[in-house]
């Protein structure tokens, strides 16, 4: 079974890609909505919450773990791997490399949480892959909020997305990295506002492919279970809103 976690609904963007690549995989997803957002918390706090979420998934039989949250990956990927050496653990990394390779202006924009930008992972990705580019960073906690409210389009969403895009596009960025899993669900709006000259890069498909590679033989029954802290019925509705269409079960309660 593959266990996947995030602070909220964002990691479902990765889960959907995993499901598309491996329909027979058994999946358990947990969203810690009661303690979200993670992106404005300290890295230490996010690390300890990530360990609780990982332990919960492993206790329920996860043999592969996906940290479907850039913030949790920034805070906890190394310590999770040290803590649980026998389990393959896949995490998110801002896609600075493909952005730098495809940019023609030499300016790339990265959208992520404040905590992700503070982590060593971001610093090292930029120093390895972003050396020849100008990397413009933009934290957008409002985008996380929109997605957690199930708002993906409409004039309010356009206004909020445009406000964070403007300073990045104004500096000449022509490749934008979605460095937070929540932002996948805003991609159509981001693309509409950024325009056809700007490329938007979402690492979710690559992370799903990596998950399938490390998971080895997949011999499940295509069972999907969702869990959340906080109001489970709100999360159930959000899951349907983001296109977990064939899912009709109950959301299990999660508490740390
Ligand atoms: N989905 C998470 C990420 O990828 C963070 C959202 C939050 O701030 O909780 O960074």
């Amino acid at each position: 079974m593959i266990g996947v976690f995030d602070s909220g609904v964002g990691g479902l963007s990765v889960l959907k890609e995993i499901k598309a690549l491996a329909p027979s995989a058994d999946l358990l997803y947990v969203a810690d909505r009661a303690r979200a957002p993670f992106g404005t918390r300290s890295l230490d706090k996010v690390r300890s919450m990530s360990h609780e979420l990982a332990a919960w998934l492993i206790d329920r039989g996860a043999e592969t773990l996906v940290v479907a949250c850039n913030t949790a990956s920034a805070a906890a990927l190394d310590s999770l791997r040290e803590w649980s050496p026998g389990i393959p653990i896949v995490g998110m990394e801002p896609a600075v490399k493909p952005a730098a390779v495809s940019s023609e202006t030499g300016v790339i924009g990265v959208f992520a949480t404040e905590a992700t930008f503070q982590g060593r992972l971001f610093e090292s990705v930029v120093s390895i892959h972003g050396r020849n580019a100008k990397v413009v960073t933009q934290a957008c906690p409002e985008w996380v909020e929109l997605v957690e409210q199930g708002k993906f389009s409409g004039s309010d969403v356009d206004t909020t997305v445009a406000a964070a895009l403007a300073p990045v596009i104004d500096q000449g960025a022509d490749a934008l990295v979605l460095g937070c899993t929540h932002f996948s669900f805003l991609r159509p709006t981001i693309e509409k506002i950024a325009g056809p000259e700007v490329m938007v890069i979402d690492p979710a498909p690559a992370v799903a492919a990596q998950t399938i590679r490390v998971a080895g033989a997949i011999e499940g029954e295509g069972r999907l279970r969702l869990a959340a802290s906080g109001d489970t019925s709100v999360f159930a509705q959000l899951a349907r809103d983001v296109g977990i269409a064939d899912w009709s079960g109950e959301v299990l309660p999660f508490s740390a």
Side-chain angles (χ1 to χ4, degrees):
M1 188 263 279
I2 300 174
V4 184
F5 76 83
D6 182 29
S7 62
V9 77
L12 289 177
S13 58
V14 179
L15 179 119
K16 281 174 71 177
E17 299 286 344
I18 296 172
K19 216 168 166 297
L21 286 178
S24 64
D26 289 330
L27 300 167
L28 174 57
Y29 181 94
V30 58
D32 199 356
R33 295 189 77 240
R35 298 191 289 181
F38 284 7
T40 50
R41 290 182 180 270
S42 72
L43 289 169
D44 280 347
K45 180 65 185 167
V46 176
R47 188 175 309 114
S48 71
M49 296 190 298
S50 300
H51 276 265
E52 287 163 0
L53 287 154
W56 190 86
L57 288 165
I58 290 170
D59 282 353
R60 278 152 193 82
E63 294 147 324
T64 301
L65 268 189
V66 183
V67 184
C69 174
N70 290 75
T71 308
S73 298
L77 209 47
D78 290 344
S79 68
L80 285 171
R81 286 180 175 142
E82 266 168 42
W83 163 75
S84 190
I87 293 198
I89 303 180
V90 181
M92 308 299 301
E93 184 181 292
V96 168
K97 184 180 180 182
V101 168
S102 48
S103 171
E104 285 178 11
T105 60
V107 184
I108 70 172
V110 183
F111 297 86
T113 68
E114 201 51 65
T116 294
F117 289 132
Q118 282 161 14
R120 273 205 308 259
L121 182 61
F122 183 67
E123 195 185 299
S124 92
V125 165
V126 171
S127 72
I128 297 168
H129 302 297
R131 272 195 317 273
N132 300 320
K134 176 176 172 189
V135 181
V136 181
T137 59
Q138 179 73 50
C140 10
E142 324 73 34
W143 291 10
V144 175
E145 248 175 71
L146 285 175
V147 172
E148 280 303 313
Q149 291 165 6
K151 294 182 186 163
F152 313 116
S153 60
S155 60
D156 288 358
V157 175
D158 284 359
T159 307
T160 307
V161 168
L165 275 180
V168 179
I169 301 284
D170 288 353
Q171 290 190 61
D174 65 348
L176 308 180
V177 176
L178 305 185
C180 167
T181 51
H182 280 69
F183 302 164
S184 295
F185 298 119
L186 294 173
R187 184 177 185 157
T189 302
I190 296 167
E191 285 179 330
K192 180 182 77 178
I193 294 171
E197 306 295 312
V198 175
M199 174 181 286
V200 176
I201 299 166
D202 181 2
V207 171
Q210 172 70 359
T211 303
I212 302 309
R213 268 194 297 277
V214 303
I218 296 200
E219 287 156 355
E221 292 160 5
R223 185 163 176 233
L224 170 61
R225 287 176 296 159
L226 303 181
S229 58
D231 189 331
T232 51
S233 61
V234 171
F235 188 67
Q237 184 55 50
L238 273 173
R240 286 189 286 271
D241 291 347
V242 300
I244 304 291
D246 59 351
W247 180 81
S248 56
E250 220 179 301
V251 173
L252 308 164
F254 164 78
S255 62

